[in-house]
Amino acid sequence: MSLYILCMILFCIGIYGVLRKRNLVKIIIGLAIMGYSINLFLVLLGYRFHGRAAIEAETQDILSMVDPLPQAMALTSIVISLGILALVISIAIRIYEKYGTFDITKIKRLKG
Amino acid sequence: MKDVNIIPLFVIIPLLTAFLIALLGKTIKNFSEKIIVASSSLLLAFSLYSQILLRHTPLKTLVYNVGGWLPPFGISMVLDGLSSFMLIVVNLIAFFVAVYSLSYMEKYTDKPKFFTLFALMVSGLNGVIVTGDIFNLFVFLEIASIASYALVAFGTQAEELEASFKYTIMGTVASSFIFLGIVFLYGFASTLNMAHMASVLNSKLSIWLLPFVSVLFLAGFSLKAAMVPFHGWLPDAHSSAPASISAMLSGVLIKTLGIYAMMRIFFNVLGITQAQLSILMFLGSLSIITGAILAFSQWDFKRLLAYSTISQVGYIVLGLGLGTPLGIFGALFHLFNHSVFKSLLFLNSGAVDYAASTRDLRETGGLNKVMPVTTKTNFIASMSISGIPPFSGFFSKLIIIFACIQKGHIGYGLCAVIGSILTLIYFMKLQKFVFLGELKDKFKQIAEVPYLMRFSMICLAAICILAGFLLLPALRPFLDRASDVLLGGTNYAAAVMGAALR
Amino acid sequence: MSLIVKTITRLIVGLVLLFGIYIVLHGHLSPGGGFSGGVIVALSFVLMMLAFGEDVAVAKISRNLASNLESIGALMFLFIAILGFLGGSFFLNILSTGTPFKLFSAGTIILSNISIGIKVGIGLFAIFLALVILEKTKRER
């Protein structure tokens, strides 16, 4: 149970980073932390005590194994967050090119 | 070929289009234009065909088992009244926007890339609609979102990048909430199939999980649908994107990713409670009033329309929140109407931008003399969105207001009426400053937009006028079948399981 | 980069690439698969780019080739999925599944892994390349 709570704390740290930080790169890091905390939580949910990976082997019988579905989901979610991070980092680089700063309080041409 | 085989085609065709354009778009001249029109008209035809198919299906539900794996083990794709309704909305708008973009995107440099992203977005939207698996829903939702983040930044000007950054951050936070909710549901129900999950949740009671998950989903989907406390990103994103993409974003993307996914999960999987309905009603009416008041003070054509989207989405959510048959019917009807006339309005703004190179209401004026088609279609759309009788918007708003009164929520009904009046006022302002008044000298030379753009606008305007006929008994099953799915609640589970094993 | 880095890179870059290909091909037998193997393949190119500069890596795989191969990988995957229609269902495994624990078994899964490996390996490399080129044009300006 305490591990689950730690995951939620990690999630909250991610949200804190997104909401409170003023540097674009730090916001992106916050986003990444949010994603990782959910992946960690997902894999922990699928864990069974003394379980092994759900991969069949020729020589040994498997008595207890962890739930493989969360691992597949976590992998998919990692791929998605990879795509988003690549996109958002390239946008951040372009923003730096145009505005000359990473400070979000100075990036405010759109308003109203 | 069996009938159910059309269901995966809604995902296959746009994906194939996207990657073919990415591969061959640069080398073969005009390849991307031809194939995008072909694929979007094919999709429109298939989605219309799905209506005919459903009419002859006994359970009104068709299930496709991907890879031949039966639910709950494999991924299933579900086509029921609601999916078919949403497919028609999405593919109708996507077709006209694709035709419009053929001419409109001339002023941007890289057309093949644009159409690749566009097709990816359509495949994500169609996937969200047809899927019957909750994790698959998340994956398709992310495909559509990532494509839209990139499309908002397509022009790579400073404002577009800023808007796209904001949109990406908010969208990703929303997706994280949704994903966390899905993880909790999986941990509790040990299944990902939505129908199976609904039946597990029915039989296995929990005191704390469902409210917690509901809050996560509500936050995530409200962020995606831009309801009022969560609306900050929408005006920037929708006003900075290329006009055809604004039409897609406002017209179908926030409805599919926000409203449709929320309806599906809350009504069909979790089983909606009175408390959630009250929250939806409150958020809806708050959106109506706030969006209308904020739209009132805008001087940018597209920004005004973006705030108007917030206000109009409020009507849909208010109608859903009523939970009565009439309310849900009105909400779905308004969803259809809004996607038609809001896309049309954004396409009009693109036409004005294309011809006059400005979107500032203070600089334009008198364009009715040089752009007659844009003016007339814009007039139809404006009257429709403000609820003037012969046009479609009137009927849907009237149904929602009636439903409010029928349920006894006079206050919410009043909110809807006030919102409608405010809508009329700010669209009068739009008409006055853009199309009526003195024509300035610098705009004397401009001409009407190319015929492909005119074609899209005229067709959408015609649908605006004709959509009222959907209330006729002959055409009503189109909306009735969709609202029946929502009213059936968690009967969805039985219907899907029954159709899958047949 | 320094001489040590260059020498070590020259020695191990081939091994990294081979290991990536191994992971892709054995995706249906052991942990790993298209995505993980593809990432390792991409990392071998990235390593080369970090050690010798982007010009050497671009000489191996140009940007056009990268984007074409990426689309081909995706199309291959989709094509394998559509091939299932021959057996009656989307994504159906229509090839013979063979005997378990042999390399040539599991039907279309190995083909899907290969196409995902191409897509991910080239795609990640292209992303890295795009970011590097963005940085380079900025420095030149």
Side-chain angles (χ1 to χ4, degrees):
Chain A
M1 195 65 201
S2 60
L3 281 175
Y4 296 161
I5 293 171
L6 282 176
C7 282
M8 290 302 112
I9 292 174
L10 199 59
F11 187 77
C12 294
I13 291 172
I15 292 187
Y16 173 82
V18 172
L19 295 180
R20 197 74 185 83
K21 291 294 170 191
R22 303 191 339 173
N23 191 316
L24 291 188
V25 179
K26 285 182 184 166
I27 291 175
I28 296 171
I29 292 172
L31 272 191
I33 292 175
M34 277 172 81
Y36 298 149
S37 74
I38 302 176
N39 291 341
L40 185 62
F41 182 59
L42 189 52
V43 172
L44 282 176
L45 266 184
Y47 183 72
R48 306 283 181 269
F49 280 102
H50 307 296
R52 48 160 293 172
I55 294 166
E56 264 193 87
E58 229 165 337
T59 48
Q60 57 199 127
D61 293 329
I62 301 173
L63 298 174
S64 99
M65 60 180 188
V66 299
D67 189 352
L69 197 56
Q71 299 178 357
M73 282 159 69
L75 190 62
T76 314
S77 142
I78 288 170
V79 178
I80 291 170
S81 57
L82 171 85
I84 292 181
L85 284 184
L87 179 71
V88 77
I89 281 177
S90 57
I91 291 174
I93 293 176
R94 281 300 190 82
I95 286 181
Y96 185 75
E97 236 174 72
K98 302 275 182 196
Y99 290 83
T101 175
F102 275 131
D103 189 347
I104 50 164
T105 53
K106 297 204 176 72
I107 301 171
K108 47 176 185 184
R109 261 183 231 180
L110 293 167
K111 55 184 142 189
Chain B
M1 201 158 153
K2 276 191 307 186
D3 284 339
V4 286
N5 276 342
I6 70 160
I7 303 176
L9 288 181
F10 288 113
V11 183
I12 296 173
I13 294 173
L15 271 183
L16 202 63
T17 314
F19 293 121
L20 275 180
I21 291 175
L23 186 61
L24 301 172
K26 285 251 171 57
T27 45
I28 303 174
K29 199 166 166 278
N30 287 337
F31 178 75
S32 56
E33 283 94 334
K34 278 173 200 148
I35 197 165
I36 194 84
V37 170
S39 83
S40 44
S41 46
L42 205 59
L43 282 173
L44 182 57
F46 274 128
S47 46
L48 290 172
Y49 176 63
S50 73
Q51 275 293 324
I52 302 169
L53 207 61
L54 277 186
R55 194 191 297 162
H56 302 300
T57 314
L59 272 170
K60 306 290 174 218
T61 309
L62 284 170
V63 177
Y64 188 82
N65 303 317
V66 176
W69 299 92
L70 290 179
F73 304 110
I75 293 171
S76 55
M77 289 180 169
V78 180
L79 184 80
D80 56 12
L82 185 60
S83 317
S84 172
F85 167 75
M86 287 302 294
L87 280 174
I88 288 182
V89 174
V90 168
N91 292 314
L92 187 76
I93 305 299
F95 173 70
F96 287 119
V97 168
V99 172
Y100 180 92
S101 308
L102 297 181
S103 291
Y104 179 75
M105 293 311 288
E106 292 292 346
K107 65 174 187 172
Y108 292 85
T109 46
D110 205 340
K111 251 181 170 180
K113 269 207 185 81
F114 174 82
F115 284 126
T116 305
L117 288 169
F118 182 81
L120 271 182
M121 188 162 88
V122 173
S123 79
L125 293 173
N126 282 342
V128 167
I129 292 165
V130 296
T131 187
D133 182 282
I134 200 163
F135 185 69
N136 214 354
L137 185 140
F138 170 74
V139 172
F140 281 121
L141 189 139
E142 286 293 289
I143 292 176
S145 306
I146 293 176
S148 69
Y149 304 150
L151 280 168
V152 169
F154 196 75
T156 60
Q157 296 301 310
E159 289 85 3
E160 286 155 358
L161 290 167
E162 185 189 335
S164 174
F165 188 81
K166 242 184 233 178
Y167 179 31
T168 312
I169 298 296
M170 299 306 266
T172 313
V173 170
S175 312
S176 303
F177 276 117
I178 295 166
F179 189 38
L180 194 60
I182 291 172
V183 169
F184 271 106
L185 274 184
Y186 174 74
F188 182 71
S190 304
T191 178
L192 287 172
N193 189 289
M194 287 204 275
H196 191 228
M197 188 179 271
S199 57
V200 170
L201 289 178
N202 255 344
S203 57
K204 202 170 157 186
L205 284 176
S206 104
I207 304 160
W208 61 272
L209 182 108
L210 280 187
F212 183 63
V213 169
S214 309
V215 169
L216 286 175
F217 279 138
L218 198 65
F221 289 126
S222 309
L223 256 170
K224 289 270 184 204
M227 284 186 248
V228 149
F230 310 101
H231 68 285
W233 56 270
L234 186 138
D236 295 344
H238 287 204
S239 62
S240 303
S244 45
I245 290 312
S246 308
M248 276 302 274
L249 292 180
S250 256
V252 294
L253 190 117
I254 63 167
K255 296 196 185 66
T256 312
L257 300 192
I259 311 268
Y260 168 80
M262 184 160 69
M263 290 193 292
R264 189 57 102 188
I265 289 183
F266 274 108
F267 282 84
N268 289 151
V269 178
L270 300 180
I272 198 147
T273 61
Q274 193 53 49
Q276 291 160 357
L277 287 175
S278 324
I279 292 174
L280 283 183
M281 267 193 294
F282 179 72
L283 285 179
S285 44
L286 193 66
S287 301
I288 293 173
I289 299 293
T290 319
I293 291 172
L294 287 171
F296 191 62
S297 58
Q298 299 304 319
W299 286 101
D300 182 335
F301 196 151
K302 284 169 83 175
R303 197 166 260 275
L304 188 147
L305 296 180
Y307 276 111
S308 153
T309 299
I310 297 174
S311 160
Q312 299 298 316
V313 165
Y315 278 96
I316 302 171
V317 176
L318 174 62
L320 281 179
L322 288 169
T324 56
L326 196 63
I328 289 176
F329 182 86
L332 291 172
F333 191 29
H334 197 66
L335 193 155
F336 179 81
N337 290 338
H338 179 248
S339 54
V340 173
F341 51 61
K342 186 50 64 69
S343 317
L344 175 54
L345 284 165
F346 268 113
L347 296 186
N348 286 148
S349 80
V352 170
D353 194 13
Y354 186 89
S357 308
T358 180
R359 301 194 318 236
D360 196 329
L361 298 186
R362 282 166 292 203
E363 285 178 24
T364 52
L367 292 180
N368 60 349
K369 296 176 189 77
V370 284
M371 302 174 76
V373 177
T374 312
T375 310
K376 288 193 183 88
T377 51
N378 189 281
F379 179 75
I380 292 169
S382 301
M383 290 303 106
S384 187
I385 197 172
S386 357
I388 302 297
F391 301 106
S392 60
F394 167 73
F395 297 107
S396 51
K397 283 188 179 176
L398 194 68
I399 292 172
I400 291 173
I401 292 166
F402 273 163
C404 284
I405 295 167
Q406 189 193 38
K407 190 97 187 284
H409 294 295
I410 308 290
Y412 288 135
L414 203 63
C415 274
V417 174
I418 293 171
S420 190
I421 295 168
L422 284 174
T423 310
L424 183 61
I425 296 173
Y426 62 72
F427 274 100
M428 297 290 265
K429 169 183 167 184
L430 190 73
Q431 292 284 323
K432 175 177 183 297
F433 280 99
V434 179
F435 296 108
L436 305 176
E438 280 293 301
L439 183 63
K440 294 191 178 147
D441 284 340
K442 64 176 173 177
F443 294 133
K444 287 252 164 72
Q445 312 305 325
I446 63 174
E448 184 57 275
V449 290
Y451 67 94
L452 284 174
M453 290 163 77
R454 269 180 292 172
F455 167 77
S456 287
M457 293 193 291
I458 290 170
C459 288
L460 284 172
I463 296 172
C464 260
I465 299 171
L466 297 178
F469 287 115
L470 283 177
L471 293 176
L472 289 180
L475 293 173
R476 256 189 78 140
F478 173 58
L479 287 162
D480 275 338
R481 271 198 289 268
S483 58
D484 283 347
V485 173
L486 289 179
L487 288 170
T490 45
N491 290 338
Y492 171 73
V496 170
M497 284 304 182
L501 300 175
R502 200 155 41 81
Chain C
M1 278 288 165
S2 69
L3 185 66
I4 299 171
V5 176
K6 280 186 179 171
T7 313
I8 298 287
T9 304
R10 203 174 294 133
L11 287 177
I12 66 167
V13 73
L15 292 178
V16 175
L17 184 64
L18 269 182
F19 183 63
I21 292 171
Y22 164 79
I23 295 266
V24 170
L25 290 182
H26 283 249
H28 55 295
L29 300 175
S30 60
F35 181 74
S36 344
V39 170
I40 297 171
V41 169
L43 287 183
S44 74
F45 287 108
V46 170
L47 184 64
M48 204 154 64
M49 192 151 51
L50 289 178
F52 300 106
E54 59 266 21
D55 300 331
V56 178
V58 173
K60 291 261 190 296
I61 294 181
S62 73
R63 261 182 99 180
N64 262 337
L65 181 66
S67 70
N68 282 349
L69 271 179
E70 202 193 341
S71 313
I72 287 172
L75 278 176
M76 253 173 77
F77 185 72
L78 198 60
F79 181 70
I80 291 163
I82 293 172
L83 219 58
F85 274 126
L86 291 180
S89 183
F90 188 47
F91 265 113
L92 189 68
N93 196 342
I94 52 159
L95 299 181
S96 140
T97 46
T99 48
F101 311 115
K102 291 282 180 299
L103 180 59
F104 293 105
S105 61
T108 54
I109 292 178
I110 184 167
L111 297 176
S112 316
N113 266 335
I114 292 172
S115 50
I116 295 174
I118 294 174
K119 164 91 184 155
V120 172
I122 300 296
L124 269 183
F125 173 70
I127 289 171
F128 198 80
L129 200 64
L131 291 179
V132 166
I133 288 173
L134 210 67
E135 194 72 13
K136 198 176 145 199
T137 49
K138 205 171 70 193
R139 227 183 301 128
E140 277 165 5
R141 233 183 281 145

